[in-house]
Amino acid sequence: MKTKRWNTAALIALMMGLLCLSACKSKEQKAAEAAQLEYEDMVDNCRDKIKKADEPEKLKKIKEKLVDVADFDEMYGRVMPEVYCKAGELQKQFDKKVENLKQDFMKMADAYIEDNDYFDAMQTVAALSEIDENSGEELKKLVREWAPMMGYIRVTDVEYANCEKDASDIEPVGTTLHSDKMRYLYPRLTFDSMLPEERPAADTRVQVKIFNPDGTLKTGSDSPNGYTYASDIKVDPAMKNQKKWLKGYGNATTSCYPAGTYKVEFYIRGILIYRNEVEIH
């Protein structure tokens, strides 16, 4: 009788366990069914965006969505495999798009190099490195190869100040520049050194082009051929985030800067290494 009671208790426990398991599966199934439309819309949206993506920034956003698809697959793929489990397929489509875009962008970078535009070439490869680890490694390799041509600096930002000819501040960096107060426009470069650590500090000549709001190149009697002016800076080896002033360009007694947006380009050995704009009000 004891054995029989034990068997009966065990059977009841087993049945209760199966009922609980069944209830859990039913709950999972209901959750999976409830999420199906959201999931299918997400998959269709990703598939469509991957197909149309034509620049790394758009693919970067899609890459984040693929993580959400994979999360759904992990939650519900076991109970509804016929609906879920699409992350792998989308990842293959995404990887193929990245590879195709990578080839197109590397061709663009090569075209920039042919025009001695190393700044846009580097920006192009850097954009790819946001979505592709291999492109990140290629960027590092290219930076090393291009370093001698770029004067061993990689400019990351340029700020401007309105100063007297002797570089004494009229207005601090970041202050709004006003046409009637302008004297000399002084650029301050922020850059990383690409000099090997064992190399001594090196002088680098930076050639500057300032374009007037109407697109003409600003030049004076002392301007080098094809440039507004040139200025030397000293590059310390293996240092990041260096800040150095170039000489300024302007007039000691009156403003030669009408209000408007000025495009400024920076070159080393005729190679474009950076460009940005400065607004004068």
Side-chain angles (χ1 to χ4, degrees):
M1 290 296 292
K2 286 184 181 180
T3 303
K4 185 176 181 181
R5 281 199 300 269
W6 183 90
N7 288 341
T8 301
L11 183 59
I12 291 172
L14 179 60
M15 290 177 66
M16 290 296 293
L18 290 172
L19 285 172
C20 289
L21 184 59
S22 176
C24 290
K25 285 185 177 180
S26 178
K27 188 177 179 180
E28 276 189 337
Q29 186 79 21
K30 288 178 181 178
E33 290 171 355
Q36 182 175 344
L37 287 179
E38 179 186 356
Y39 176 80
E40 289 177 342
D41 285 345
M42 188 185 302
V43 169
D44 289 342
N45 188 260
C46 284
R47 189 179 288 120
D48 186 57
K49 286 184 180 297
I50 292 171
K51 185 178 180 180
K52 295 179 179 178
D54 55 2
E55 57 186 48
E57 187 61 33
K58 292 180 180 178
L59 282 175
K60 185 180 178 181
K61 292 179 181 178
I62 297 169
K63 188 175 184 179
E64 295 168 359
K65 291 295 183 183
L66 292 180
V67 175
D68 294 335
V69 174
D71 287 342
F72 272 91
D73 286 3
E74 184 176 351
M75 285 189 293
Y76 305 128
R78 183 173 59 85
V79 293
M80 289 184 68
E82 71 281 3
V83 171
Y84 295 91
C85 303
K86 299 290 195 307
E89 168 201 334
L90 288 175
Q91 188 64 50
K92 288 180 181 178
Q93 184 182 352
F94 178 85
D95 291 343
K96 184 176 181 180
K97 187 71 176 192
V98 168
E99 187 58 35
N100 290 339
L101 200 63
K102 180 179 174 180
Q103 292 176 14
D104 292 342
F105 268 57
M106 291 306 291
K107 288 178 182 177
M108 288 171 55
D110 289 340
Y112 285 130
I113 293 299
E114 289 181 8
D115 291 336
N116 277 341
D117 183 347
Y118 279 61
F119 172 67
D120 277 332
M122 190 169 290
Q123 294 292 93
T124 300
V125 182
L128 282 173
S129 66
E130 291 290 321
I131 57 171
D132 178 57
E133 291 182 3
N134 292 331
S135 294
E137 292 303 312
E138 288 182 24
L139 177 61
K140 293 177 184 177
K141 180 182 176 183
L142 290 173
V143 166
R144 289 193 295 269
E145 290 179 1
W146 297 345
M149 285 77 78
M150 297 176 69
Y152 290 101
I153 66 172
R154 183 181 181 186
V155 178
T156 56
D157 190 27
V158 178
E159 301 166 288
Y160 299 90
N162 176 25
C163 302
E164 298 286 4
K165 189 174 183 179
D166 64 0
S168 59
D169 281 0
I170 296 176
E171 298 170 347
V173 170
T175 302
T176 300
L177 302 175
H178 295 278
S179 174
D180 59 336
K181 296 180 181 179
M182 289 300 299
R183 291 299 177 263
Y184 286 80
L185 182 68
Y186 270 76
R188 184 174 70 177
L189 274 59
T190 301
F191 61 89
D192 296 335
S193 169
M194 297 191 293
L195 279 170
E197 290 186 15
E198 64 275 9
R199 287 282 296 271
D203 289 325
T204 293
R205 169 150 291 198
V206 181
Q207 302 152 309
V208 183
K209 292 184 181 183
I210 302 176
F211 293 92
N212 293 307
D214 64 2
T216 58
L217 180 66
K218 186 179 283 297
T219 57
S221 58
D222 296 330
S223 293
N225 186 32
Y227 299 92
T228 305
Y229 71 102
S231 181
D232 293 337
I233 56 171
K234 187 175 289 293
V235 182
D236 297 317
M239 280 187 61
K240 305 295 183 185
N241 206 38
Q242 297 182 51
K243 293 182 183 292
K244 298 287 176 72
W245 288 98
L246 299 183
K247 289 192 303 184
Y249 185 86
N251 189 289
T253 58
T254 186
S255 172
C256 64
Y257 290 94
T261 302
Y262 291 76
K263 183 173 73 172
V264 189
E265 296 180 344
F266 301 87
Y267 294 77
I268 292 177
R269 302 188 187 98
I271 292 169
L272 179 64
I273 61 166
Y274 196 80
R275 71 156 66 90
N276 69 353
E277 294 180 343
V278 56
E279 186 75 25
I280 297 180
H281 298 267

